[in-house]
């Protein structure tokens, strides 16, 4: 009796196992066919023309903002004095508002600093709010983009403080960094900037234009700490995201990566 019972149990188990085996290959084939029917999405860095992902920047960089204790004026920098293998990407004015550039910054987690001019941005502040939401930093580039050097204090202060107020109203912050248009400034510029809450004037040591990378001093090779100005789109050159890709390739080829300027200043 016990033998017959054991045989019955074994038959039931064999039947169940056989059913499971008869279904499982079909399920596996279905999953395989479904997988073969879908192309895997390319890695973000490949979508933006890079052969490898950007190396991470140091997680806790040391701040290296030099001061001017004798004059209480903000320093003027075209590079950051650091041995970290990073460079810094900066963009001026706000003329180009390509939504795909927002995607690029988000997908690459690209730390960029946008120096905005109110009269250039015009009705396009929403674009830069989107950039800010994906990690871009918003900084000051005056209201109307004049040559500040030689202007009286009141005029320079109005340009700088006026844009501070605009950016605070738009983004809820008052920038700490300021780029004088055309890189032209004088002591009055620094005094007016300090009175508007600016902590540093940011110039650039290298520039990425329509024909490629140029460097202010020495050969066209990047060095740790270089601040790079990426020129806006021009009708005769590649769009901003293409210039950025070309620049990132050079940054990687030279064993560097991109750091967040505001983490160092």
């Amino acid at each position: 009796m016990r033998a017959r019972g054991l045989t019955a149990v074994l038959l039931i188990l064999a039947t169940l196992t056989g059913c499971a085996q008869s279904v499982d290959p079909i399920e596996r084939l279905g999953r395989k066919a479904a997988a073969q029917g879908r192309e895997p999405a390319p890695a973000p860095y490949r979508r933006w023309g890079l052969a490898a992902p950007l190396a991470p920047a140091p997680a806790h960089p040391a701040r290296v903002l030099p001061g001017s204790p004798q004059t209480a004026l903000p320093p003027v920098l075209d590079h950051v004095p650091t041995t970290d293998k990073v460079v810094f990407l900066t963009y001026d004015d706000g003329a180009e508002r390509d939504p795909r550039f927002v995607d690029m910054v988000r997908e690459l987690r690209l730390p960029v600093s946008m120096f905005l001019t109110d009269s250039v941005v015009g009705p396009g502040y929403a674009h830069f709010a989107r950039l800010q939401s994906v990690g871009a930093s918003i900084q000051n580039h005056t209201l109307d983009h004049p040559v500040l050097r030689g202007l009286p204090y009141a005029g320079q202060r109005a340009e700088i403080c006026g844009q501070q107020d605009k950016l605070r109203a738009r983004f809820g912050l008052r920038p700490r960094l300021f780029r004088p248009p055309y890189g032209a400034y004088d002591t009055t510029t620094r005094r007016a900037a300090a009175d508007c809450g600016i902590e540093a004037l940011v110039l650039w040591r290298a520039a990425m234009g329509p024909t490629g990378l140029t460097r202010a001093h020495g050969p066209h090779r990047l060095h740790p700490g270089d601040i790079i100005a990426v020129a806006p789109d021009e009708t005769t050159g590649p769009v901003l995201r293409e210039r950025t890709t070309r620049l990132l390739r050079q940054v990687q080829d030279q064993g560097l990566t991109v750091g967040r300027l505001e983490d160092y200043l």
Side-chain angles (χ1 to χ4, degrees):
M1 184 71 178
R2 290 180 59 190
R4 286 200 301 272
L6 179 60
T7 301
V9 170
L10 291 175
L11 285 173
I12 292 170
L13 290 174
T15 302
L16 292 174
T17 304
C19 290
Q21 289 176 343
S22 67
V23 173
D24 185 60
I26 297 174
E27 291 176 347
R28 289 204 305 271
L29 287 173
R31 288 196 296 267
K32 184 176 180 181
Q36 288 176 343
R38 292 192 304 269
E39 287 293 331
Y45 64 88
R46 293 191 184 279
R47 282 200 294 273
W48 299 106
L50 302 181
L54 286 168
H60 302 288
R63 282 202 164 192
V64 289
L65 183 61
S68 301
Q70 288 78 23
T71 61
L73 296 179
V76 182
L77 306 169
D78 66 359
H79 73 290
V80 172
T82 180
T83 57
D84 291 348
K85 293 185 176 182
V86 295
V87 294
F88 306 99
L89 272 57
T90 65
Y91 299 77
D92 288 356
D93 305 341
E96 182 172 346
R97 295 184 285 275
D98 179 0
R100 291 196 64 201
F101 184 68
V102 180
D103 296 335
M104 182 182 202
V105 170
R106 183 186 69 252
E107 293 184 12
L108 293 179
R109 299 182 180 180
L110 190 62
V112 296
S113 301
M114 316 300 295
F115 288 84
L116 300 184
T117 296
D118 182 68
S119 62
V120 177
V121 176
Y125 275 106
H127 170 79
F128 294 97
R130 288 190 290 273
L131 272 170
Q132 184 193 38
S133 73
V134 298
S137 169
I138 304 297
Q139 303 296 343
N140 190 329
H141 198 43
T142 72
L143 283 173
D144 298 307
H145 209 273
V147 177
L148 293 177
R149 186 170 54 209
L151 291 180
Y153 170 82
Q156 297 204 39
R157 189 180 189 282
E159 282 287 338
I160 301 170
C161 285
Q163 183 64 341
Q164 290 284 87
D165 294 340
K166 288 269 189 181
L167 294 175
R168 182 174 184 178
R170 296 281 186 175
F171 300 101
L173 56 85
R174 290 179 70 83
R176 296 187 302 107
L177 306 180
F178 169 65
R179 173 166 286 166
Y182 314 104
Y185 69 95
D186 54 20
T187 301
T188 302
T189 311
R190 296 174 69 191
R191 185 159 59 92
D195 292 344
C196 295
I198 295 297
E199 297 179 18
L201 273 64
V202 177
L203 305 184
W204 59 94
R205 183 160 284 192
M208 187 67 183
T211 59
L213 183 71
T214 58
R215 198 168 180 274
H217 309 287
H220 297 169
R221 182 172 179 83
L222 295 169
H223 295 274
D226 278 354
I227 298 172
I228 307 169
V230 184
D233 180 28
E234 298 178 4
T235 56
T236 58
V239 296
L240 195 61
R241 64 179 183 274
E242 292 176 2
R243 292 186 190 188
T244 301
T245 294
R246 293 181 184 183
L247 175 58
L248 292 177
R249 289 171 182 162
Q250 293 188 53
V251 168
Q252 290 181 311
D253 288 345
Q254 296 177 33
L256 301 168
T257 191
V258 180
R260 184 176 301 281
L261 182 62
E262 293 73 13
D263 289 347
Y264 286 79
L265 299 183

